[in-house]
Amino acid sequence: MSTSGRSPLSLAKQSYAASLKAVGRGLTKTGLAKETAPPVEQRWRHWTHSLTKVYDSLAMAKLDVPWWTYDAIAAVDAWLSARDRPIRVYEYGSGASTVWLSRRADEIHSVEHHKGFGEMMQAELAGEEKISLRVIEPVANDNPVIASQKEGHAGLDFAAYVDSIDDVAGEFDLVVIDGRAREACLEKAKDRLAPGGIIVFDNSRRRRYVEAIAASGLKETIHAGLTPTLPYPERTSVLTKG
């Protein structure tokens, strides 16, 4: 590990993001890039435009996309359009997806584990009556009830974060799992789906997530390929019962 406590991979990602954002500012300032993104249907143009917005949820929100693969975005958008209203959503992990969903659903409950990011999103979403965003930080614990395998999260208990869905009554048409302790979130969420409801599970190519999805008993539809802001392909899965 580096002296900052971050791995070489984390530092490389941070450097990459800073470089791309600087390039984007330069291109916009010189008029070589437009402020407005191409329509999301023009996938390659939209993706190229998005590359300079990496790790910037507010900038991504202006692109009108969540941080899922383009195929998953299209599939979920079509599903939401066909779904009877009202549509209720629970979201583990806030960000651009929260804004995107607010334009397509009627009631959104979102939970965020990172205090600084969560408070920034709360300020950004202030006045949005259909959105409830809570910050539930993990608790230091040498023997966590629910741990996260994410780098830098050892010794933290995410039990309250995962169980937060229990604080909201009723069933959900859509549950988004894109935060911490995703395996436990999946186990908790699958019994809260409304009939015909779906779970969006992001970054599902990771081995521990592959295993959790296989063990869940849910049907998986994989949407792999381009993802806004990322220079490499990713995978987002849509899970259903039956």
Side-chain angles (χ1 to χ4, degrees), residues 47-149:
W47 173 74
T48 301
H49 180 92
S50 78
L51 288 175
T52 59
K53 320 296 182 188
V54 63
Y55 298 120
D56 188 336
S57 290
L58 298 183
M60 282 186 63
K62 295 179 181 178
L63 302 179
D64 195 30
V65 286
W67 207 8
W68 313 330
T69 64
Y70 280 101
D71 278 356
I73 294 169
V76 175
D77 198 11
W79 185 87
L80 289 168
S81 297
R83 184 74 170 176
D84 290 339
R85 310 301 286 262
I87 296 173
R88 302 184 77 227
V89 177
Y90 198 87
E91 185 184 40
Y92 287 105
S94 62
S97 57
T98 313
V99 178
W100 186 83
L101 287 165
S102 72
R103 298 165 181 156
R104 294 161 173 84
D106 304 283
E107 183 182 337
I108 301 163
H109 298 270
S110 186
V111 62
E112 176 59 45
H113 78 283
H114 189 285
K115 183 178 180 181
F117 182 79
E119 289 178 346
M120 180 195 72
M121 289 302 303
Q122 285 175 331
E124 185 69 19
L125 298 170
E128 291 281 354
E129 295 183 359
K130 66 173 66 174
I131 300 175
S132 171
L133 171 56
R134 292 184 293 164
V135 177
I136 301 181
E137 295 181 277
V139 178
N141 189 333
D142 291 336
N143 297 291
V145 176
I146 296 178
S148 172
Q149 295 185 50

Side-chain angles (χ1 to χ4, degrees), residues 136-195:
I136 301 181
E137 295 181 277
V139 178
N141 189 333
D142 291 336
N143 297 291
V145 176
I146 296 178
S148 172
Q149 295 185 50
K150 178 77 171 179
E151 177 189 316
H153 289 69
L156 295 175
D157 191 343
F158 286 83
Y161 171 87
V162 172
D163 291 343
S164 63
I165 194 171
D166 293 336
D167 298 331
V168 185
E171 297 177 315
F172 297 98
D173 301 279
L174 167 62
V175 178
V176 178
I177 300 178
D178 196 12
R180 299 282 76 82
R182 297 185 199 186
E183 306 95 316
C185 292
L186 176 59
E187 277 300 301
K188 178 68 69 169
K190 68 181 185 180
D191 295 326
R192 297 296 303 278
L193 283 181

Side-chain angles (χ1 to χ4, degrees), residues 26-38:
L27 291 174
T28 301
K29 186 175 181 180
T30 59
L32 294 176
K34 295 182 179 180
E35 290 276 1
T36 306

Side-chain angles (χ1 to χ4, degrees), residues 183-239:
E183 306 95 316
C185 292
L186 176 59
E187 277 300 301
K188 178 68 69 169
K190 68 181 185 180
D191 295 326
R192 297 296 303 278
L193 283 181
I198 64 174
I199 293 175
V200 174
F201 197 113
D202 200 25
N203 310 116
S204 56
R205 63 180 175 81
R206 298 172 186 170
R207 182 175 179 178
R208 63 183 184 273
Y209 299 157
V210 170
E211 293 172 350
I213 291 170
S216 72
L218 300 176
K219 178 183 177 182
E220 179 183 21
T221 301
I222 295 172
H223 299 278
L226 286 177
T227 300
T229 79
L230 295 182
Y232 52 84
E234 250 296 351
R235 193 165 97 179
T236 304
S237 292
V238 175
L239 312 179

Side-chain angles (χ1 to χ4, degrees), residues 40-52:
V40 70
E41 293 77 15
Q42 297 177 17
R43 189 168 297 185
W44 280 96
R45 291 184 61 213
H46 189 280
W47 173 74
T48 301
H49 180 92
S50 78
L51 288 175
T52 59

Side-chain angles (χ1 to χ4, degrees), residues 5-22:
R6 295 186 177 182
S7 70
L9 179 59
S10 295
L11 293 172
K13 287 181 177 179
Q14 184 180 33
S15 177
Y16 170 80
S19 298
L20 264 290
K21 289 175 184 178

